[in-house]
Amino acid sequence: MPEVSMREVLKARNITRNIIRRTPMVRSEGLSEKTGHDVYLKYEFQQFTGSFKLRGAASAVLSLSDGDKKKGVVGVSTGNYGRALAYAARKSGVKCVICMSELVPENKIKAVKALGAEVRITGKSQDQAQLEVERLVSEKGMIMLPPFDHPDVIAGQGTLGLECMEDCPQAMEVLTPLSGGGLAAGVALAVKNIAPEIKVSGLTMENGAAMYESLKAGKPVQVEEFPSLADSLGGGIGLDNRYTFPMVRDLLDDTILLTEAEIAAGIRYLYKEHGEIVEGAGAVGVAAILAEKISISGPTVVICSGKNIATELHLRIISGETPDLSLG
């Protein structure tokens, strides 16, 4: 397995401490009562830019040499990483271009542009948008910073795992969203270095779950992408994946799939019981507990990873609807 070590996670924490926010952790009374064990929610959606992605983006940008910073950075994103990379680049005075597919919601495109980055919309999948990234690297000499399969990005996400263990040292399980694997790999690396016996489960949507299908196939594979309430979990993991696939394969204990209705229920619960607006990808851990797709056996930390959901969509969900996004 390519080496990303605890040393890199600790370095990432040191260099990003002036850019990222330490996010709060709260005990969920309702989920604790439901499971019979303490359930704690890590409010990472309160991170600057509204998601955990800032940790990895800041770590990657701040690890660049001065020469590479002058070339500018480019990355592919389903929304949250683009916003995070744009924020980190602006804080560091670095030019930034974000490439996105046509499936990315308009609210996330606008948020990236608002942070000063140039946005390029290409194709109907993250893999197709990646082709534009590669063109900019080849023709313009820009530095590619991928959203997950990069040692500095993984190390940055690992700082969230450190916080989880500091805030809840008695934890026996951590539930983390799973997409390209940067968050899951970084969190699992950090928490298992501190407590090797801890269980880490990855949660993702039922349709178009690239990492799940890749794990099942034993190698990175492409999958068809579908609109989802957990749109941030969309996109491929890259057929040339070097870091996150082997780390997720070796470090995760379980992978759980969720339906759109279950994801909607998680969003609804977080709003009605905790008063928090959380996007689909950030609600998958809560959704898994509500749907009883996971058996809680001790103190558990649930990472609620992001809040960037369109207002109109959120209103429909909390009103009891499970929107069919395939209808447009």
Side-chain angles (χ1 to χ4, degrees):
M1 183 172 72
E3 188 67 24
V4 180
S5 72
M6 195 66 166
R7 178 180 296 179
E8 278 75 47
V9 175
L10 295 172
K11 173 199 164 192
R13 166 178 257 186
N14 184 53
I15 65 175
T16 63
R17 62 175 68 248
N18 292 326
I19 288 185
I20 67 167
R21 167 186 288 163
R22 185 186 183 99
T23 52
M25 180 180 287
V26 302
R27 184 178 183 273
S28 174
E29 298 295 335
L31 295 178
S32 298
E33 183 176 344
K34 175 180 175 61
T35 63
H37 297 281
D38 288 332
V39 175
Y40 299 92
L41 306 180
K42 181 62 169 169
Y43 277 10
E44 186 62 11
F45 56 85
Q46 292 187 8
Q47 187 58 257
F48 298 123
T49 76
S51 89
F52 75 94
K53 290 285 189 178
L54 183 58
R55 294 176 184 267
S59 171
V61 170
L62 293 170
S63 295
L64 292 174
S65 67
D66 290 340
D68 282 345
K69 287 178 182 176
K70 290 177 182 177
K71 296 175 183 177
V73 296
V74 59
V76 67
S77 173
T78 54
N80 284 339
Y81 179 68
R83 195 170 178 177
L85 187 58
Y87 182 94
R90 187 177 71 173
K91 284 283 188 181
S92 305
V94 176
K95 173 182 170 62
C96 179
V97 177
I98 302 298
C99 301
M100 298 171 144
S101 83
E102 296 170 9
L103 289 180
V104 175
E106 184 62 27
N107 67 302
K108 295 192 175 183
I109 295 171
K110 289 180 178 179
V112 172
K113 290 180 178 178
L115 288 167
E118 178 185 344
V119 175
R120 301 197 179 189
I121 307 298
T122 307
K124 296 185 179 297
S125 72
Q126 193 166 13
D127 288 332
Q128 290 174 6
Q130 176 65 27
L131 297 176
E132 178 66 7
V133 173
E134 292 166 6
R135 188 187 71 78
L136 291 170
V137 171
S138 174
E139 297 180 10
K140 304 293 185 182
M142 299 187 78
I143 302 300
M144 178 176 67
L145 292 179
F148 49 86
D149 196 38
H150 188 288
D152 294 325
V153 172
I154 295 168
Q157 317 307 19
T159 64
L160 181 51
L162 291 180
E163 288 185 21
C164 287
M165 295 308 296
E166 289 167 352
D167 293 344
C168 186
Q170 73 275 27
M172 294 177 62
E173 184 159 2
V174 175
L175 307 185
T176 175
L178 175 65
S179 178
L183 176 63
V187 166
L189 171 68
V191 302
K192 286 178 179 283
N193 263 273
I194 295 169
E197 71 284 355
I198 202 164
K199 181 180 179 183
V200 182
S201 296
L203 298 305
T204 192
M205 72 285 193
E206 205 170 62
N207 294 326
M211 182 62 80
Y212 175 83
E213 295 298 335
S214 295
L215 292 171
K216 196 163 67 171
K219 63 180 181 179
V221 297
Q222 287 183 315
V223 298
E224 183 180 356
E225 290 184 45
F226 299 92
S228 173
L229 295 177
D231 57 277
S232 297
L233 302 184
I237 70 167
L239 295 181
D240 58 348
N241 187 292
R242 293 186 58 208
Y243 296 94
T244 61
F245 174 75
M247 290 182 72
V248 167
R249 179 194 64 206
D250 296 346
L251 294 174
L252 278 199
D253 298 285
D254 198 7
T255 305
I256 298 162
L257 300 180
L258 295 153
T259 67
E260 295 299 294
E262 289 163 350
I263 294 168
I267 295 171
R268 204 173 292 125
Y269 185 91
L270 281 160
Y271 184 75
K272 294 191 173 182
E273 299 299 324
H274 290 269
E276 302 293 349
I277 296 174
V278 179
E279 64 183 276
V284 289
V286 169
I289 294 174
L290 293 175
E292 299 183 350
K293 286 193 168 180
I294 192 161
S295 178
I296 301 297
S297 58
T300 297
V301 174
V302 180
I303 295 175
C304 301
S305 57
K307 69 175 183 181
N308 298 316
I309 184 171
T311 301
E312 186 271 341
L313 177 60
H314 189 261
L315 285 171
R316 290 167 65 189
I317 292 169
I318 63 174
S319 297
E321 186 182 346
T322 300
D324 184 350
L325 300 186
S326 66
L327 299 178

